[in-house]
């Protein structure tokens, strides 16, 4: 088991003929992902790495039964591509593209919420991977290995760093989910935590947050009130000054909201160990798993 | 992208929000004529993007056009310093506006509530001071009006919020109209913030935006070509302005150990590690995903513009980014630039072995972990 995607996922890639879309489609196929279709308006009828390309998501779904989509379309057109996938009936979409305007995402987030048919992951995210089964996104594959740990993170490379340590410590992963660095994300910590809580294979969760917004605090509340599984956390940007945007559009402390202190406190109060350094995470996970065993 | 006050007011005026009559100029000799046209009694305001502008001497009242010209001469080209901006900013533009007689001061802003994923209008009759101060001392004095994405802004909600804010009768309807215009301006221009502090109620009962702050979502600048061209003007730090020109994600910090990495989270984390090891990060710099050698060189070159740096920490976890490309960029930067500070590089991931080999016979000190590298660069920099 895993969450959101697995070996049965039939993946559609929008923007498949672009540089990134094409490159990562190839990587995903090599990893064993079942990529069934691509979409690029005007390029229907062609093929990319053996994957048939369609002009619209609707045609692609009809012809291939695609049930998950990765959006690689450039920022000005990305929001439209997400909505197109949703309108075509795809229940899970991950938006990899960085730089989508906030107003566009606000519109998309609210439409998807209202319609209730499609879960969106991202934008500005590394995507999602269920090790050895399905990769939708841009992460390097060799660092992942199957196992009992669920991971959810706002950052790409920091995820790689942490997953690499987990893997080397013998802690494989059920699913690794990049929720992305934008101010208006689709799925948020609380949503993914809930999925991990209900996934029988996931034994413990690693949550990687950063400055900006209050999604870590909301996640902490959920952990405190509803989670039986252990969660270990890490917050980056502890030295970032207020009012400055640290690379990610959403990584900014503004109006006193989004400070690392507030996040660390909320998590600690919820009983979540917060690692000071990434190198401590695998140890903390290990000891959480041992405690779990001792209790059985 | 942050707008200057004059740009903010221009935008609001286009939406029919009343602002004091005035004109911006970068020619000090024009000030007298502008002041005369406005009746002589004016305010001369330095157009610098910094907090504490008034206290720094950037806002001066004049009773005659001669006095206005005098103020302008004293201000233009001068460096203003405030607590918020201790380095100071040079005044290159002035806004000359008519004086208005203020009876009361209110506060209005439109921004994004990230948690609720909705726009929110903040309303207070306690304007003219720092809103965070008001929020701390008297949170009930600020009323939040949420704009439902499906419903838009309803009149009845607007009336309810203004009533709750105890908005006086004379200003009530004018404020309602102003709020509607602000929300329209916000959504139609991809704003990130519109703040009017104060909204003035004049002695003759008119509501007017006495000051204005607008910033636009950087991600949306592709919709505003003319704005995008002047985006670097909105940075107060010269290296940040240059970074904006070069399209590099860079933030200047006040420490002395430069940080270069790939991915925002990893770079932030690298800064934290430097601090934990007893050092002070000089900057945030993300080379971006899939960086090529040329781009890495460009980043090192930018970093070297900061004359305060004592050391450099390069932290790459190669996924899509190939470590050998990064190494090539670093080596080429070091060949061409005079880098005479210690450099520690931690390189892991795709093509890391090749990269490590390339860096073998250089001055760059290799480290295998982020924590080890941070400790090393702190040790070497402060030796």
């Amino acid at each position: 088991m895993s969450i959101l995607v697995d070996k049965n996922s039939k993946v559609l890639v929008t923007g498949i003929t672009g540089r990134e879309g094409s490159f990562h489609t190839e990587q995903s196929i090599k990893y064993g992902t079942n990529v069934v279709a691509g979409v690029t308006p005007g390029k229907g009828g062609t093929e990319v790495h053996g994957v048939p390309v369609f002009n619209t998501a609707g045609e692609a779904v009809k012809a291939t039964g695609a049930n998950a989509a990765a959006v690689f379309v450039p920022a000005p057109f990305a929001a439209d591509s997400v909505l197109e996938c949703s309108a075509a009936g795809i229940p899970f979409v991950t938006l990899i593209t960085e730089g989508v305007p906030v107003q566009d995402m606000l519109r998309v987030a609210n439409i998807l919420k209202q319609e209730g048919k499609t879960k969106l992951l991202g934008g500005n995210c590394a995507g999602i991977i269920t090790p050895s089964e399905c990769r939708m996104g841009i992460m390097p594959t060799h660092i992942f290995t199957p196992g009992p740990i669920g991971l959810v993170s706002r950052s790409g490379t920091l995820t790689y760093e942490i997953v690499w340590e987990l893997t080397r410590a013998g802690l494989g992963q059920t699913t690794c989910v990049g929720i992305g660095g934008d101010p208006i994300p689709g799925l948020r910590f609380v949503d993914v935590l809930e999925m991990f809580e209900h996934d029988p294979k996931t034994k413990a969760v690693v949550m990687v947050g950063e400055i900006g917004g209050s999604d870590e605090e909301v996640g902490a509340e959920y952990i405190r009130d509803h989670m039986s599984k252990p969660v270990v956390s890490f917050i980056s940007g502890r030295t970032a000054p207020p009012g400055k945007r640290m690379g990610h559009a959403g990584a900014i402390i503004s109006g006193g909201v989004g400070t690392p202190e507030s996040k660390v406190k909320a998590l600690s109060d919820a009983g979540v160990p917060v690692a000071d350094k990434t190198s401590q995470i695998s140890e903390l996970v290990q000891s959480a798993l041992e405690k779990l065993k001792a209790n059985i | 992208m942050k707008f200057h006050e004059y740009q903010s007011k221009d935008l609001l005026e286009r939406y029919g929000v009343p602002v004091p009559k005035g004109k911006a100029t970068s020619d000090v000799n024009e000030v007298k004529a502008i002041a005369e046209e406005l009746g002589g009694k004016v305010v001369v305001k330095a157009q610098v993007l910094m907090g504490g502008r008034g206290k720094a001497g950037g806002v001066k009242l004049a009773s005659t056009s001669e006095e206005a010209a005098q103020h302008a001469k004293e201000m233009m080209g001068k460096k203003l310093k405030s607590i918020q901006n201790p380095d100071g900013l040079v005044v290159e533009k002035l806004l000359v506006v008519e004086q208005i007689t203020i009876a009361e001061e209110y506060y209005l802003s439109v921004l994004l509530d990230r948690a609720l994923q909705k726009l929110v209008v903040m309303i207070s009759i306690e304007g003219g001071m720092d809103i965070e101060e008001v929020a701390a001392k008297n949170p009930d004095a600020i009323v939040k009006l949420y704009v439902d994405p499906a419903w838009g802004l309803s009149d009845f909600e607007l009336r309810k919020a203004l009533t709750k804010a105890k908005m006086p009768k004379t200003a009530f309807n004018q404020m309602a109209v102003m709020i509607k215009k602000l929300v329209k301006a916000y959504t139609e221009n991809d704003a990130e913030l519109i703040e009017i502090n104060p909204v003035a109620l004049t002695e003759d009962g008119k509501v007017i935006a006495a000051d204005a702050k607008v910033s636009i979502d950087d991600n949306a600048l592709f919709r505003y070509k003319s704005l995008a061209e002047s985006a670097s003007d909105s940075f107060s730090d010269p290296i940040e302005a240059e970074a904006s020109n070069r399209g590099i994600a860079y933030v200047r910090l006040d420490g002395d150990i430069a940080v270069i990495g790939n991915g925002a989270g990893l770079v932030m984390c690298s800064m934290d590690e430097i601090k934990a090891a007893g050092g002070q990060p000089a900057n945030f710099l993300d080379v971006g995903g899939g960086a090529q050698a040329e781009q890495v060189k460009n980043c090192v070159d930018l970093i070297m513009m900061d004359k305060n740096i004592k050391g450099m920490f390069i932290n790459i976890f190669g996924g899509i980014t190939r470590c050998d490309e990064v190494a090539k960029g670093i080596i080429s930067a070091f060949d061409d630039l005079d880098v005479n500070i210690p450099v520690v590089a931690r390189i892991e991931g795709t093509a890391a072995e090749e990269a490590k080999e390339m860096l073998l016979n250089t001055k760059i000190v290799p480290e295998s972990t982020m924590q080890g590298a941070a400790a090393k660069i702190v040790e070497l920099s402060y030796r």
Side-chain angles (χ1 to χ4, degrees), chain A residues 88-173:
Chain A
I90 297 175
F92 175 68
V93 178
T94 179
L95 170 60
I96 307 301
T97 311
E98 179 176 2
V100 182
V102 171
Q103 298 270 351
D104 290 9
M105 289 313 296
L106 202 55
R107 179 162 170 263
V108 167
N110 282 292
I111 290 174
L112 296 186
K113 220 178 282 172
Q114 231 164 35
E115 300 279 324
K117 291 191 304 197
T118 301
K119 287 190 172 78
L120 172 68
L121 178 66
N124 188 12
C125 76
I128 181 166
I129 185 165
T130 291
S132 294
E133 296 192 27
C134 181
R135 168 196 189 258
M136 294 171 67
I138 57 173
M139 56 290 266
T141 51
H142 69 274
I143 57 175
F144 297 90
T145 191
I149 311 300
L151 184 139
V152 55
S153 168
R154 280 171 69 187
S155 153
T157 42
L158 192 51
T159 299
Y160 312 158
E161 175 89 35
I162 292 165
V163 165
W164 185 225
E165 295 214 10
L166 289 173
T167 295
R168 280 189 300 178
L171 297 163
Q173 306 88 39

Side-chain angles (χ1 to χ4, degrees), chain A residues 260-275:
Chain A
E261 292 80 16
S262 156
K263 294 174 191 302
V264 172
K265 184 175 185 301
L267 288 160
S268 303
D269 289 353
V272 176
V274 185

Side-chain angles (χ1 to χ4, degrees), chain B residues 226-249:
Chain B
S226 59
L227 280 183
E229 280 161 21
S230 62
S232 63
D233 297 348
S234 74
F235 288 94
S236 51
D237 182 273
I239 305 181
E240 288 184 358
E242 180 56 29
S244 161
N245 281 331
R246 297 188 191 184
I248 299 171

Side-chain angles (χ1 to χ4, degrees), chain A residues 193-278:
Chain A
L193 288 169
E194 191 180 355
M195 290 179 217
F196 279 133
E197 172 68 11
H198 294 118
D199 174 44
K201 257 263 185 84
T202 301
K203 300 296 176 215
V205 179
V206 176
M207 169 179 169
V208 184
E210 64 188 29
I211 55 159
S214 55
D215 287 354
E216 287 83 355
E217 285 88 333
V218 178
E221 225 169 275
Y222 176 80
I223 296 168
R224 188 192 62 204
D225 297 339
H226 303 287
M227 267 186 97
S228 61
K229 294 175 185 176
V231 180
V232 169
S233 182
F234 179 78
I235 301 293
S236 79
R238 297 201 195 187
T239 48
K244 293 269 192 178
R245 183 161 275 129
M246 309 307 281
H248 281 160
I252 182 167
I253 300 167
S254 78
V257 177
T259 64
E261 292 80 16
S262 156
K263 294 174 191 302
V264 172
K265 184 175 185 301
L267 288 160
S268 303
D269 289 353
V272 176
V274 185
D276 286 324
K277 294 172 176 298
T278 53

Side-chain angles (χ1 to χ4, degrees), chain B residues 346-368:
Chain B
R346 181 273 183 150
I347 293 188
E348 185 66 72
T350 310
E353 291 316 311
E354 291 90 321
K356 283 174 193 164
E357 205 151 296
M358 287 164 75
L359 294 175
L360 259 185
N361 296 313
T362 66
K363 287 190 292 185
I364 298 149
V365 182
E367 278 287 335
S368 54

